[in-house]
Amino acid sequence: MIAVANTLIALVAALHVYFLIVEMFLWTRPLGLKTFRNTPEKAAGSAVLAANQGLYNGFLAAGLIWSLLQPDPAVALQLATFFLGCVIVAGLYGGWSVSRRILYVQAAPAALALILAWLAKA
């Protein structure tokens, strides 16, 4: 069970690395426009905000990776719980304020990873 939980945590971390790359470096390029369904004009006007958001996504990814590398299982679970909780809250807010799709892409995988991590502990 822990291997499945860790795989999901790694997937959530990888998603946030992807968000970092797209938001910080590809926001105004075709992949960024397509991923976030933006027009070139809207992307140009929001590029600085997107880069800032990308940086925060990088922090979430770093925390999740830290939880996977932490040798103490109790500390690893605490780290995973905190950072997955942050991802879930961000996904819920994004789903409410931006697009329901964010609930499925961001919040749901993090919630599933969190549930599995806690079940693996039990």
Side-chain angles (χ1 to χ4, degrees), residues 17-86:
V17 169
Y18 172 76
F19 298 151
L20 173 148
I21 292 167
V22 173
E23 291 169 350
M24 292 189 80
F25 306 111
L26 304 174
W27 186 253
T28 59
R29 302 201 183 259
L31 180 62
L33 297 173
K34 181 181 175 186
T35 300
F36 292 97
R37 300 176 180 168
N38 275 333
T39 64
E41 297 78 23
K42 184 178 174 186
S46 61
V48 172
L49 293 172
N52 188 54
Q53 186 171 299
L55 185 62
Y56 285 101
N57 278 309
F59 293 143
L60 292 173
L64 292 169
I65 293 166
W66 180 18
S67 78
L68 293 171
L69 298 176
Q70 173 55 242
D72 182 334
V75 175
L77 182 61
Q78 291 171 351
L79 290 168
T81 298
F82 175 77
F83 286 100
L84 289 169
C86 290

